[in-house]
Amino acid sequence: METQEDSLQGLRDCSPYVKFAKLDELLALGRANSLWPLTFGLACCAIEMMAAGASRFDLSRFGAEVFRPSPRQADVMIVAGTINKKMAMAVKTLYDQMPEPKWVIAMGNCAISGGPFVFPGQYAVVEGVDKLFPVDVYIPGCPPRPEALIEGLLKLEEKLTGKRRWPIVKPE
Amino acid sequence: MSASDLQPKADLPPPATSVAAPAPRPAAPTQPLPAAAPPPPNPLAHLPFAFQGVDYAARGYHCEVTIAPDQIIAVAESLDKEGLALDTITGVDWIAEGQMEVVYDYFHPARALRVVVRTRLPRDNPEVASIHRVFPGANWHERETHDFFGIRFLGHPNLTPFLLPEDADYHTHEAIPPHGVPSEMFTLNLGPQHPATHGVLRVKLRMDGEYILHAEPVCGYIHRMQEKMGENRTYAQFLPNTSRIDYLSAMTYTHAFVGAVERALKLQVPPRAEYIRVLTSELNRISSHLVWWGAFLLDLGGFTPLLYAFDDREKILDLLEGVTGSRLTYSYYRIGGLCNDVDDAFIKGTRQFVAQMRPRLKMYRSLVTDNIIFRKRLIGIGPISREMCRKYGATGPVIRGSGVPYDVRRVEPYSVYPEFDFEVPVFGEGDSLARYLVRMEEMAQSLRIIEQALDKLPAGPVMVEKVPRVIKLPAGDYCYAVEAARGRFAVRIVSDNKEIPYRVKLRTPSLSNLSLFEEASAGMLLPDALALMGSLDLVIPDIDR
Amino acid sequence: MFDWLRHSVSAWWPEPLRLLLFLVGILSFVGLNAAYLVWVERKGAARFQRRPGPTEVGWAGLLQPIADAAKLLSKQLIVPAGVDTTLFRVAPLLMMSPALMSLVVIPWSPGLAARNINVGLLMIFAFGSINVMAIMLGGWSSRNKYSIISAARIVSQNVAYEIPMLLVVVTMIMVTGTMNLNEIVLQQAGAFWHWNIFRVWVNPLMPVTFVIFFTCMLAETNRAPFDMAEAESELVAGAYTEYSGMGFGVFFMAEYANILLGCSLATALFLGGWQSPIGVLPGMFWFLVKLYFLVFSVVWIRWTFPRTQFYGLLNLSWKILIPASLVTLILTSAMMKLFPA
């Protein structure tokens, strides 16, 4: 039997259906749901990135499967793989060519800090992409699983909109 | 004295006969030398150089010689006449002796014959003649050796940094075509970020409209110092590196490394471990070919097969993850066997996978291989002749697509491959379709090997009982070669009886396969050249290491 | 309901207002379609590739195009240094306008055409050639080698495929005797065997003619398997490489607007326009059904076939399609001469 309390409860709880949004929040929502990555796979992590876009894990559920090859049309640069000193200039150029607003996800241990290729006397590896430009999300792993990449993307969306799409599942 | 008019010196010792003893080695520390072993045969006894036979089972090659630096071209020419192909060139820096050694590896595409030619140079002025006129494939190997060791190769056309950045003290001088510059010539830079190059490869194209005049691949953008790390890690610590050289066929690469160490230590790996190694390597080969197939079709404009290929691949990855714990870069093999045994779920799952993969291959054949648009794009495109393969040392599906049945599993059998019944697919046309068909057929043959391995899987331990706690290889050099998905992968370990190798040389197939691109792509249209590059199946970290 | 609207509008309101309503209608039709055809494409691609496609953004991903639009609108518009700024900015607009203008003459339902122009077909093809120029300008003004190669390819491809398309259209004009699209649709009244595609007693090769028209339409709109110009895996993004934000968005939308135009034209010319296949209740509903069926086939073909080489593409046009359309033209004129109906 529905009481007055119940129907009042229904009235108060209309937030899932009606949104009062300022323009910023609307734009942030739009940007978060339509993050177009730049095809920038360097090494092993690139294969896991491709697997994340494939049918089993499917990045396109979040609107992120449109991998654009041109940096001018991409929003997020997923640095998947090791950055070399020879390659560093090219990476920086690509980052500069992306229009604002842009974000960077460092995928894999190599992009975070040089990965397994850091040893005393190393001469070729840049120890982490954040030595070149600012990074928004770090995804550890060697290589990280596609689920980890999706989690990283969700974290980026949370950074943009302030709200998380799905709750974090705590292992029992 | 110029390098081109060399003669073998008149005061050389008489040619070694077949009873020459193998080069003396320091006594192996752990196992006693076999008593009264017959001296190994010397297949090159008829050549006027001091070749000596070597025990293949102990060292991984059949024949070696140490010569003076000014005889390098003469040796190369006589080995060329014998029909050998250039495998790789590398250096070893003997700091204590004040010398640098240049090591040339040759192999024969039709029979089991591996030859090692060494020469020693003074460390403060290391110069030796370049052999690129005899074997054009030496071009890149000599550049890499120059990068790493500073050895100067006299007569090399373009001794510029190969894997190191271009501003490493040398300036590139580009060869202008001798007949003047065509009217519509322009330089196009493909990469290093480009969807078609499957990684960070840069190709400098000089183009006349849509035709390529000259394509020069520039490598080194993902050089991760694997060989240098070999000198800084113990043998067990280097295992994860091996997976990351060519991450798509990681199992086979680890196999080569542990095989080299086991060969040196004369460890007998238990048969169950060998069978599981073959099983997992073949599963890995199928998953690598699936990635190649999807990416190749993406290059040609078909977007959908990539997703189907990845579907199948996910099944393989699930199986391997259940056993090894990792999806892509496995470190499953250990020195002396395996990390852990496989369980029943794996065996059942693999059987199911084989059962459902065969109809999938049939579907791929009818949907893609028989598709007319697709065939028109590949038939006759990018012909590579047998001679070109031999001169550049190309192996794997590249050489098998040009009619040469060279497969390391047959020519230099390793592990338990002789016990399996499988065919080596060979197609003779030498165009991109031939290489494509070789790989598709290889997937079917791998399924056969997997089935046989599952049926014949023996019981027993998966690890040698007594592996030394501290792994030290006896001094000397040891090779081991495997047939990886892309071609022949060989590891050479030079040891000076310490826990850490003195030098680790990785002979990777993609480097030799790509080195013929410059010659093969001259005069082609750009989309055709990209189809050719896709059919070579490159993984760029395999080139740059 | 549309009839009522038409009557009321023409009876009580003056002509400029009618045109304004049509303008708003066409703009919103094209806008909504361009946006939601992206959704159809992504969902279709996903289903062909056995994966869900956009699902998170709104129910079944239906708000995805809105998110894409919001993002593209708020992106920084970069005009790279050294480009020809006027041409660079004008190129996307030049590509969008012909499609919008040509939709003016398409008959949506009985009596519902913005303008009933006697030379409607001619107008559509006149405006259609501006497309080629737009992409060429976009590619040329970008000061990027990839864009220039792509622009050169597009020009040769479009020129090659315009010829069989025009030959086919000339055949249709001979068959129907008029260039007025409304008249053409009216001629196809009755059940579906009256449609032009089945009019084989005048032109025995009519289904072949339809296939040629469809193929040329795919090539003119640069859709796979004829998307050499934007060959993603070879030329990065082709002529669109240097466009960011809404510049790229307009190119994207223009491509879908052109597909809409091409499919509407095919529907009106061959499939009977708004005529119903069972002879009763003609109207806009049938037009939309046929239109979206053709659009779906375009999406389907894209995700199924690989790309041909460039010379294969040109060979297809010059060596196969042009002779075929010439043959249909001659055959049709012969039939019309021998059996005047």
Side-chain angles (χ1 to χ4, degrees), chain A residues 48 56 82 84 86 123 145, chain B residues 219-220 223 314 321 327:
Chain A
E48 289 296 66
R56 187 176 180 184
T82 324
N84 212 352
K86 196 168 178 179
Y123 57 84
R145 285 188 63 108
Chain B
C219 307
H223 175 59
E314 289 289 336
E321 190 186 359
R327 276 168 56 100

Side-chain angles (χ1 to χ4, degrees), chain A residues 38-40 42-44 47-48 50-51 54-57 69 82 84 86-87 90 94 116-119 122-125 142-143 145-146, chain B residues 148 162 164-165 192-193 195 200 219-226 228-229 232-233 244 247-248 307 310-311 313-314 318 321 327-329:
Chain A
L38 177 67
T39 56
F40 199 48
L42 295 164
C44 341
I47 305 292
E48 289 296 66
M50 284 161 67
S55 308
R56 187 176 180 184
F57 300 102
T82 324
N84 212 352
K86 196 168 178 179
M87 187 71 191
L94 282 171
F117 300 106
V118 172
F119 61 94
Q122 69 100 351
Y123 57 84
V125 161
C142 189
R145 285 188 63 108
Chain B
F148 288 163
F162 181 59
L164 298 180
Q193 184 254 351
V200 269
C219 307
Y221 288 95
I222 192 80
H223 175 59
R224 298 192 283 190
M225 313 166 283
Q226 306 272 15
K228 185 84 184 158
M229 286 180 81
N232 281 285
R233 296 266 179 283
R244 285 153 177 83
Y247 36 83
L248 288 177
L307 283 306
F310 267 74
D311 253 351
R313 187 171 167 263
E314 289 289 336
D318 276 346
E321 190 186 359
R327 276 168 56 100
L328 187 70
T329 47

Side-chain angles (χ1 to χ4, degrees), chain B residues 13 42 61 88 158 161 174 190 214 244 374 381 442 459 507 509:
Chain B
N42 183 2
Y61 49 91
T88 190
N158 183 23
E174 316 223 12
L190 217 65
H214 181 67
R244 285 153 177 83
F374 172 75
I381 302 296
E442 267 182 22
R507 187 269 177 206

Side-chain angles (χ1 to χ4, degrees), chain B residues 187-190 194-196 210 298-301 303-304 307-308 311 360 373 376-377 525 527-528 530, chain C residues 48-51 145-146 149 153 224-225 227 232-236 302-309 311:
Chain B
T187 310
L188 185 68
N189 208 11
L190 217 65
H194 191 276
E210 286 262 350
L298 193 65
D299 276 352
L300 299 177
F303 306 96
T304 308
L307 283 306
Y308 281 74
D311 253 351
R360 294 284 281 201
I373 301 182
K376 275 197 141 70
R377 279 209 71 168
L525 286 167
D528 290 342
L530 290 175
Chain C
F48 288 128
Q49 296 165 358
R50 295 173 49 200
R51 54 187 174 87
K145 279 176 193 153
Y146 288 120
I149 298 182
R153 283 185 181 181
D227 62 349
E232 247 187 42
S233 54
E234 295 166 29
L235 293 180
V236 193
R302 176 185 182 177
W303 295 104
T304 311
F305 289 107
R307 220 180 285 127
T308 64
Q309 284 140 324
Y311 49 85

